[in-house]
């Protein structure tokens, strides 16, 4: 207590300045020397003020571990100031100090959502046992494994800083709120695919140093990650990049935009996947709320889902743009739009079929939620609320509706994990059922909407694939022999599955079709080569299957899956891997050129215009063992080629005839005009009618009436 009095006396500001000067500063020097020499006494029950938050604990609790900062602070060797109420003051945020005390009292660990924050506080107070315990629980345990993986990644942190610097520079140059850059992520040293020399496959990982240098090149991207030696794949590294950027408060979106198609040597091409990263530097108000909702934990500090949706809807209503109003009913266009909607409305049979499927899915969803008891009721309420909210957001763009769906998925998944402590397996099953229930009802509104150019892209891709009908498996180095009956069946099944994708309404079901198609491809390659298939064999075969099947509305299905599929399914697992390969295959088809097929530009142009077709194997050169069906097939192909040439000739002649008719019509018209100009038509006035002989006699009125014949009876 004496120490407190001395402290208060020393801090008293009533001492005159001239008196202090007369003492020559000896008073302050005496105080500075006196405080460290006197040990500070603490009561058994210690009142604390940590950043304005009050706590009370025993002195033995604070001294439980000797080598901690708290034990040193309350050892008496250091002076601790007090507030006006006599509480010992620690200048530190006290939000998580209660978790520190709980561990010192009974060894209790904080909830999962507070682990990271408590870990930082434990580092500040140097509480080693708490640090060790927190590092053995999620999410720090997973973070430990993640950092071990990133430790194998060369220049990972430097590349991350480069992404931020490039995005910042481009945004400042363009005066835009976002910037885009290309990032290449590859795991293997030489991710290349031979397209003309299949026997070089065996040399891929057995090249000499001089041969390896021939294949070295740098993809035309901003940043490249890889290669690395670990089990983690490309999707794991992408997740790490997005996570680390998000931890810095940067909003980032990424998508695969294709592969590097640079030609290396000996018909080898680089096939490293290229991703487009979109870095957003500042967000609109509604986007900030969505981002904050996705980053915040469950509790009093975060908005509930219903309040977030209500607030976001109000903001969207006030900030609706002219583009979004385009499809709003008005007095000028209301009748026309009604006619268009009536013309495009599906038939009653289709409506009944969709209604039956919706009812069936709803019943299955309700039966599934019964196994979750109380959480199931909350999930059903959240789904109904989300559907009602989406019904009022029809005027939003498809990208904004996609963001709402992704936010909803993330919100429900976090509730299942944190509030209801559901295991990962049950969370995955629940998210699949939620996606099925929601997207079955939203399918007709969000699949290939009129506000996007998805339909235009579909027609362009279909036209492109039709123009490439002449591409043979040999040109793509497809290791599949369709003459084997089992392989031929696998190819047919793969084509059937990729076409069937368009008939599904749920993104997960569409992904399942892609997965089944891919597995049939792997089986076909395995049967042909009599060994397991590799990724280098899979992608060319998938390209060939897409060219041969020409799936309907391919781009619309890809965009639909990307926008509304559960993100955890796209980021990990075989579904995400096969879907990425399908996107790469479509991108390759769109950019396919003569060099990709090892053809001359002249031959490629002739094949594309239909002036010629690749040489088929003549039927006479077949061996006697070849079945009659194959021979008949090549005969039919030759016949079709001849018919195609005849049709082209007919079309050309018809065009020529049409031109001749137009020229003849123009010539006749010109001749008629010349004749009319040379001999103009003169129209004379109409002749007057002849007058009666006595018409000019003015005394006609005085003449007696004409005699009428009289009949007399005799």
């Amino acid at each position: 207590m004496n120490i407190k009095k001395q402290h208060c006396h020393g801090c008293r500001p009533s001492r005159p300045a001239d008196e202090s000067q007369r003492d020559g500063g000896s008073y302050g020097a005496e105080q500075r020397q006196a405080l460290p020499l006197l040990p500070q006494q603490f009561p058994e029950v210690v009142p604390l003020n940590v950043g304005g938050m009050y706590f009370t604990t025993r002195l033995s609790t604070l001294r439980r571990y000797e080598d901690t900062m708290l034990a040193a602070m309350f050892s008496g060797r250091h002076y601790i100031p007090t507030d006006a109420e006599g509480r010992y003051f620690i200048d530190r945020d006290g939000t998580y100090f209660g978790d520190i005390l709980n561990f010192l009292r009974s060894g209790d660990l904080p909830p999962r959502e507070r682990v990271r924050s408590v870990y930082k506080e434990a580092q500040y107070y140097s509480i080693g046992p708490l640090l060790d315990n927190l590092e053995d629980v999620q999410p720090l345990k997973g973070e430990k494994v993640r950092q071990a993986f990133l430790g194998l990644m060369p220049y990972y942190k430097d590349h991350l800083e480069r992404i931020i610097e490039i995005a910042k520079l481009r945004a400042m140059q363009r005066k835009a709120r976002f910037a885009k850059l290309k990032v290449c992520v590859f795991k293997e040293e030489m991710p290349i695919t031979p397209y003309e020399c299949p026997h070089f496959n065996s040399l891929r990982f057995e090249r000499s140093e001089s041969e390896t240098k021939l294949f070295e090149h740098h993809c035309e991207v901003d940043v490249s990650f890889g290669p690395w030696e670990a089990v983690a794949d490309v999707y794991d590294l992408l997740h790490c990049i997005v996570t680390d950027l998000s931890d810095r408060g940067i909003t980032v979106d990424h998508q695969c935009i294709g592969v590097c198609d640079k030609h290396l040597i000996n018909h080898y091409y680089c096939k490293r996947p290229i991703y487009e990263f979109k870095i957003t530097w500042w967000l609109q108000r509604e986007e900030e709320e969505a981002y904050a909702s996705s980053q915040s934990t469950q509790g009093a500090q975060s908005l509930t889902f219903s309040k977030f949706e209500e607030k976001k809807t109000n903001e969207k209503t006030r900030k609706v743009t002219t583009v979004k109003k385009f499809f709003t009913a008005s007095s000028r266009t209301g009748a026309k739009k009604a006619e268009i909607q009536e013309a495009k409305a599906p038939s009653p049979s289709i409506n009944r079929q969709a209604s039956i499927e919706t009812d069936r899915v709803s019943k299955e969803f309700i039966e599934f939620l019964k196994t979750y008891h109380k959480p199931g009721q909350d999930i059903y309420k959240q789904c109904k609320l989300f559907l009602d909210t989406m019904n009022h957001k029809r005027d939003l763009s498809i990208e904004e509706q996609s963001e709402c769906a992704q936010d909803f998925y993330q919100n429900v998944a976090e509730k299942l994990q944190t509030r209801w402590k559901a295991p990962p397996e049950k969370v995955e099953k629940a998210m699949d059922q939620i996606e099925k229930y929601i997207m079955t009802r939203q399918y007709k509104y969000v699949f290939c909407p009129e506000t996007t150019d998805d339909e235009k892209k579909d027609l362009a891709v279909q036209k492109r694939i039709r123009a490439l009908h002449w591409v043979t498996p040999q040109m793509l180095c497809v290791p599949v022999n369709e003459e084997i009956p089992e392989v031929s069946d696998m190819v047919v099944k793969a084509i059937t599955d990729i076409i069937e994708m368009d008939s599904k309404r749920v993104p997960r079901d569409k992904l399942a079709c892609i997965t089944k198609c891919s597995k049939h491809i792997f089986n076909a390659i395995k049967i042909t080569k009599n060994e397991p298939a590799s990724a280098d064999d899979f992608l060319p075969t998938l390209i060939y299957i897409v060219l041969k099947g020409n799936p309907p509305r391919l781009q619309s299905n890809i965009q639909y899956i990307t926008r509304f599929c559960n993100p955890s399914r796209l980021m990990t697992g075989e579904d995400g891997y096969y879907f990425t390969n399908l996107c790469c295959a479509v991108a390759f088809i769109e950019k396919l050129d003569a060099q990709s097929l090892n053809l001359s530009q002249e031959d490629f142009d002739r094949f594309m215009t239909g002036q010629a077709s690749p040489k088929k194997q003549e039927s006479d050169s077949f061996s006697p063992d070849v079945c009659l069906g194959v021979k008949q097939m090549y005969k039919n192909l030759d016949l079709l080629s001849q018919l195609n040439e005849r049709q082209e000739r007919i079309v050309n002649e018809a065009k020529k005839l049409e031109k001749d008719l137009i020229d003849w019509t123009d010539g006749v018209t010109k001749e008629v005009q010349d004749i009319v100009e040379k001999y103009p038509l003169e129209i004379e006035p109409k002749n007057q009618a002849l007058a009666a002989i006595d018409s000019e006699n003015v005394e006609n009125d005085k003449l007696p009436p004409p005699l009428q014949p009289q009949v007399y009876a005799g």
Side-chain angles (χ1 to χ4, degrees):
M1 299 299 293
N2 294 333
I3 297 177
K4 286 188 178 182
K5 291 180 180 180
Q6 292 175 4
H7 174 63
C8 295
H9 179 71
C11 295
R12 186 172 53 195
S14 61
R15 196 170 187 218
D18 56 346
E19 182 181 351
S20 177
Q21 294 175 359
R22 288 195 301 268
D23 292 347
S26 61
Y27 180 79
E30 290 175 0
Q31 287 297 94
R32 288 193 297 269
Q33 294 176 359
L35 288 177
L37 297 177
L38 297 176
Q40 191 171 11
Q41 301 294 331
F42 297 100
E44 183 63 25
V45 178
V46 182
L48 298 173
N49 180 351
V50 184
M53 299 182 68
Y54 297 158
F55 301 92
T56 304
T57 185
R58 294 175 63 89
L59 182 61
S60 58
T61 301
L62 298 174
R63 296 176 177 177
R64 180 173 297 276
Y65 299 104
E66 296 180 356
D67 55 348
T68 64
M69 180 185 291
L70 290 174
M73 292 171 64
F74 290 90
S75 64
R77 300 189 304 270
H78 305 280
Y79 176 74
I80 302 178
T82 58
D83 60 7
E85 298 178 0
R87 296 179 178 272
Y88 294 98
F89 181 73
I90 300 177
D91 193 8
R92 182 75 174 175
D93 185 10
T95 304
Y96 304 102
F97 191 76
D99 296 308
I100 299 291
L101 289 180
N102 288 335
F103 176 78
L104 295 176
R105 289 166 179 157
S106 56
D108 294 339
L109 296 178
R112 178 173 180 176
E113 62 269 15
R114 300 164 67 93
V115 167
R116 294 182 184 272
S117 300
V118 176
Y119 186 81
K120 294 180 180 179
E121 296 299 309
Q123 286 179 320
Y124 175 77
Y125 293 111
S126 301
I127 306 176
L130 178 56
L131 293 173
D132 296 338
N133 281 274
L134 291 178
E135 289 176 354
D136 290 336
V137 298
Q138 291 287 17
L140 294 182
K141 187 175 182 180
E143 181 65 19
K144 214 172 172 184
V145 177
R146 192 177 78 96
Q147 292 299 331
F149 160 59
L150 294 179
L152 302 175
M153 183 62 52
Y155 310 110
Y156 174 76
K157 293 184 179 180
D158 296 339
H159 291 337
L160 212 62
E161 295 295 336
R162 180 172 174 79
I163 289 177
I164 298 174
E165 290 299 326
I166 293 176
K168 179 180 178 182
L169 181 61
R170 289 183 180 174
M172 294 179 66
Q173 290 176 345
R174 297 175 57 246
K175 306 298 188 294
R177 71 186 184 98
F178 65 87
K180 295 181 180 180
L181 63 158
K182 295 181 180 179
V183 178
C184 179
V185 181
F186 60 97
K187 180 178 180 180
E188 298 175 354
E189 181 69 31
M190 281 288 117
I192 56 178
T193 302
Y195 269 78
E196 234 355 91
C197 303
H199 58 275
F200 280 148
N201 277 341
S202 60
L203 303 178
R204 178 168 182 181
F205 298 103
E206 299 177 2
R207 300 192 185 100
S208 63
E209 183 177 356
S210 59
E211 291 175 334
T212 303
K213 291 182 179 179
L214 295 176
F215 292 92
E216 290 182 354
H217 88 289
H218 298 284
C219 301
E220 296 180 357
V221 295
D222 299 299
V223 182
S224 292
F225 290 87
W228 66 88
E229 294 182 1
V231 179
D233 56 11
V234 172
Y235 304 103
D236 296 326
L237 182 59
L238 287 172
H239 183 270
C240 291
I241 297 172
V242 174
T243 300
D244 290 337
L245 292 175
S246 299
D247 289 342
R248 300 191 183 190
I250 299 175
T251 305
V252 55
D253 297 316
H254 71 282
Q255 62 177 349
C256 181
I257 59 174
V259 295
C260 178
D261 56 356
K262 185 174 181 180
H263 177 256
L264 302 179
I265 192 173
N266 292 339
H267 312 300
Y268 279 76
Y269 294 85
C270 174
K271 292 300 171 185
R272 293 171 178 168
I274 298 176
Y275 297 85
E276 182 183 70
F277 276 61
K278 179 182 178 182
I279 308 294
T280 304
W281 288 106
W282 79 85
L283 304 176
Q284 297 177 357
R285 184 172 180 181
E286 63 274 7
E287 294 175 338
E288 290 179 354
E289 294 171 357
Y291 179 77
S293 177
S294 64
Q295 296 295 324
S296 62
T297 57
Q298 300 297 329
Q301 296 178 351
S302 63
L303 293 174
T304 61
F305 183 79
S306 58
K307 291 182 179 179
F308 160 71
E309 288 294 335
E310 181 181 359
K311 192 171 184 180
K312 191 173 179 182
T313 303
N314 294 336
E315 291 295 332
K316 287 290 184 182
T317 305
R318 290 197 298 267
K319 293 187 177 182
V320 123
T321 59
T322 306
V323 177
K324 297 173 187 175
K325 291 180 179 179
F326 181 76
F327 288 95
T328 304
S330 63
S331 58
R332 291 178 297 176
T333 60
K336 184 177 180 180
K337 289 180 180 178
E339 295 176 359
I340 295 175
Q341 292 178 356
E342 183 178 357
K344 292 188 176 182
S347 63
S349 61
I350 296 178
N351 285 331
R352 286 194 298 270
Q353 183 179 0
S355 177
I356 293 173
E357 183 178 359
T358 302
D359 294 339
R360 178 181 59 80
V361 172
S362 300
K363 292 179 181 178
E364 293 177 357
F365 184 63
I366 294 174
E367 291 297 325
F368 173 79
L369 291 181
K370 288 181 180 179
T371 60
Y372 283 73
H373 305 292
K374 177 60 176 177
Q377 298 178 4
D378 294 338
I379 291 174
Y380 185 76
K381 291 179 182 178
Q382 294 291 346
C383 292
K384 295 292 291 183
L385 177 62
F386 174 75
L387 290 174
D388 293 340
T389 304
M390 292 298 292
N391 289 333
H392 293 86
K393 291 187 175 183
R394 298 285 176 239
D395 57 333
L396 298 183
S397 64
I398 193 64
E399 287 77 16
E400 292 171 318
Q401 296 185 46
S402 173
E403 291 179 4
C404 293
Q406 298 299 327
D407 292 341
F408 175 73
Y409 289 150
Q410 185 175 1
N411 187 281
V412 176
E414 288 179 357
K415 282 187 177 180
L416 288 171
Q417 294 173 357
T418 58
R419 181 182 297 180
W420 298 310
K421 307 298 182 182
E425 297 80 11
K426 296 192 70 175
V427 173
E428 184 177 359
K429 291 181 180 179
M431 295 307 300
D432 289 342
Q433 291 294 329
I434 291 171
E435 176 187 317
K436 184 177 181 180
Y437 174 74
I438 290 176
M439 298 317 302
T440 301
R441 294 173 175 269
Q442 294 293 313
Y443 177 82
K444 61 181 179 180
Y445 304 111
V446 298
F447 181 84
C448 191
E450 295 179 350
T451 56
T452 64
D453 57 348
D454 293 347
E455 185 176 0
K456 182 179 179 181
K457 292 180 179 178
D458 290 334
L459 296 176
V461 171
Q462 283 194 340
K463 183 178 180 181
R464 176 70 172 175
I465 293 177
R466 290 194 194 101
L468 294 171
H469 66 90
W470 48 268
V471 177
T472 62
Q474 292 75 20
M475 294 179 180
L476 296 172
C477 281
V478 176
V480 170
N481 185 6
E482 295 187 64
E483 294 181 4
I484 303 175
E486 296 180 4
V487 175
S488 179
D489 292 340
M490 291 295 176
V491 171
V492 173
K493 291 179 180 179
I495 295 175
T496 303
D497 290 332
I498 198 67
I499 294 176
E500 188 181 0
M501 173 181 62
D502 185 63
S503 64
K504 304 299 182 181
R505 299 164 65 90
V506 184
R508 185 193 62 172
D509 296 340
K510 293 181 180 292
L511 282 177
C513 292
I514 298 174
T515 301
K516 288 193 296 183
C517 170
S518 302
K519 289 183 177 180
H520 288 315
I521 291 174
F522 274 104
N523 291 334
I525 297 173
K526 182 178 180 181
I527 295 173
T528 301
K529 300 180 64 176
N530 199 18
E531 62 181 16
S534 64
D536 293 336
D537 297 329
F538 170 68
L539 184 57
T541 311
L542 179 61
I543 294 172
Y544 173 68
I545 293 297
V546 174
L547 289 174
K548 195 170 183 179
N550 197 0
R553 299 192 292 186
L554 185 56
Q555 283 288 358
S556 293
N557 283 285
I558 291 176
Q559 293 296 329
Y560 176 68
I561 294 172
T562 304
R563 292 164 180 160
F564 296 100
C565 183
N566 186 6
S568 62
R569 186 171 291 276
L570 283 182
M571 293 296 295
T572 58
E574 60 179 6
D575 290 342
Y577 172 77
Y578 294 139
F579 178 73
T580 302
N581 277 273
L582 178 61
C583 296
C584 294
V586 175
F588 179 83
I589 292 173
E590 291 176 343
K591 298 179 180 179
L592 187 64
D593 55 9
Q595 192 177 17
S596 302
L597 300 176
N598 195 30
L599 297 173
S600 64
Q601 189 64 39
E602 181 181 359
D603 291 339
F604 182 84
D605 295 338
R606 292 175 61 201
F607 294 159
M608 289 295 292
T609 57
Q611 298 177 2
S613 59
K615 293 182 178 179
K616 309 291 191 309
Q617 189 175 4
E618 297 297 333
S619 59
D620 297 337
S621 61
F622 285 112
S623 63
D625 298 333
V626 177
C627 64
L628 296 176
V630 175
K631 295 180 179 180
Q632 185 63 37
M633 178 185 67
Y634 279 102
K635 289 182 180 179
N636 293 340
L637 290 175
D638 294 336
L639 181 59
L640 288 174
S641 178
Q642 296 175 9
L643 291 175
N644 186 30
E645 294 177 358
R646 291 178 58 187
Q647 183 181 8
E648 290 179 355
R649 289 198 299 269
I650 292 173
V651 170
N652 293 333
E653 293 295 333
K655 291 181 179 179
K656 183 179 178 182
L657 178 60
E658 182 182 8
K659 184 176 181 302
D660 294 341
L661 288 174
I662 293 174
D663 294 341
W664 178 80
T665 303
D666 295 340
V668 171
T669 304
K670 190 172 184 279
E671 290 180 2
V672 171
Q673 291 177 351
D674 293 342
I675 293 174
V676 170
E677 292 176 357
K678 186 176 181 180
Y679 305 102
L681 181 63
E682 296 180 358
I683 300 176
E684 297 179 353
K686 187 176 180 181
N687 296 330
Q688 297 181 356
L690 297 176
I693 298 175
D694 54 353
S695 59
E696 297 180 356
N697 190 349
V698 296
E699 296 180 355
N700 285 341
D701 295 338
K702 297 180 180 181
L703 294 176
L707 296 176
Q708 297 293 334
Q710 300 292 328
V711 178
Y712 295 95

